[in-house]
Amino acid sequence: MGAPADPVPPDIPEELARWASASLVDVELDGVLAEGLAAAGATATGLRIAESRVVDTDLSEASMERAVLRDVGWAGGSLSNAQLRDARITRSRMEGVRATGLDLTRCSLDNVVFVDCRLDLALFRASSMDRVRFDGCRLEDADFFETSFSSVMFERCDLRAVNWAGASFSNSELRGCELTGGQSLERLRGVRIPWDDVIRSAGEIAIAAGIEIVE
């Protein structure tokens, strides 16, 4: 078990064409800046975004199944309760995004960074993650059922009441995270955790290991 590798950052051109169309079904956005788009509840099945920036855009409750994101910088705005099932996200960074209840079931994420995002109640069920970093994110009640983690880092994240059932880890680390109330914490076997964090979460870890705590 080694330390997680750093994600490769997105490759985004400095000059981008502005884009503000309301139609998103099977659209391919390449080298664009989408800023301030209001598309809550939009149908965006098959959306493809490459080498672009998305800023302060509202796609809450949007249907975005099978979306493909590659080399994307996504800042601010909302993806709350959006459906991104079976999506592929590669070399992308999401920062300050409100994404409560985001559905990323059966998704493939590689070289992806989430910074200061709200991902509580998010679904990552049966997804695969490779070189993914969560930094300062709220993930309370998130569902990682049967998620595969390879070279994944959780740092300064709120992981209370997270479901880890069926999850598997390699070369991954939790640092400065809150684990209270987590389900199936025994699935964290093999994860790297600093000693101070182990002491802070000793009760939760002991319960997951089936240890009876007595006075």
Side-chain angles (χ1 to χ4, degrees):
M1 182 64 66
D6 291 332
V8 177
D11 184 7
I12 304 172
E14 292 187 7
E15 294 187 9
L16 300 170
R18 297 190 69 86
W19 185 89
S21 173
S23 176
L24 293 170
V25 178
D26 289 324
V27 167
E28 183 166 354
L29 308 179
D30 194 341
V32 304
L33 170 64
E35 185 172 10
L37 179 65
T43 298
T45 304
L47 174 68
R48 297 174 299 283
I49 307 176
E51 299 183 8
S52 298
R53 296 191 183 278
V54 180
V55 180
D56 295 332
T57 288
D58 184 4
L59 281 166
S60 55
E61 301 185 4
S63 178
M64 302 168 66
E65 286 87 352
R66 301 187 303 281
V68 177
L69 278 65
R70 176 179 55 81
D71 293 307
V72 174
W74 197 304
S78 177
L79 283 169
S80 294
N81 297 312
Q83 308 293 320
L84 271 81
R85 290 185 292 266
D86 301 298
R88 289 186 289 129
I89 306 176
T90 304
R91 291 194 308 273
S92 296
R93 178 185 176 93
M94 294 192 173
E95 185 168 359
V97 179
R98 299 187 305 277
T100 297
L102 175 64
D103 189 349
L104 286 164
T105 297
R106 297 184 306 274
C107 287
S108 171
L109 293 84
D110 69 274
N111 291 286
V112 178
V113 176
F114 297 90
V115 179
D116 296 330
C117 291
R118 182 165 182 170
L119 291 158
D120 51 316
L121 298 168
L123 302 176
F124 297 87
R125 296 171 67 89
S127 290
S128 64
M129 300 189 190
D130 185 15
R131 291 195 178 194
V132 175
R133 185 182 186 96
F134 295 88
D135 189 350
C137 294
R138 292 185 55 180
L139 285 149
E140 309 100 298
D141 294 291
D143 191 344
F144 292 106
F145 176 75
E146 293 192 349
T147 297
S148 172
F149 298 90
S150 176
S151 216
V152 176
M153 166 72 87
F154 292 89
E155 186 167 12
R156 301 182 301 107
C157 291
D158 190 338
L159 298 171
R160 288 178 293 178
V162 163
N163 179 18
W164 302 102
S168 60
F169 290 85
S170 64
N171 299 328
S172 297
E173 184 171 325
L174 277 68
R175 184 176 291 273
C177 296
E178 176 60 65
L179 299 174
T180 302
Q183 301 175 46
S184 301
L185 284 173
E186 71 278 2
R187 300 301 302 187
L188 297 178
R189 181 176 180 178
V191 169
R192 293 159 52 99
I193 302 178
W195 181 244
D196 288 346
D197 292 354
V198 172
I199 294 173
R200 186 177 66 244
S201 301
E204 299 290 330
I205 294 171
I207 292 170
I211 298 171
E212 182 180 357
I213 301 174
V214 297
E215 295 184 359

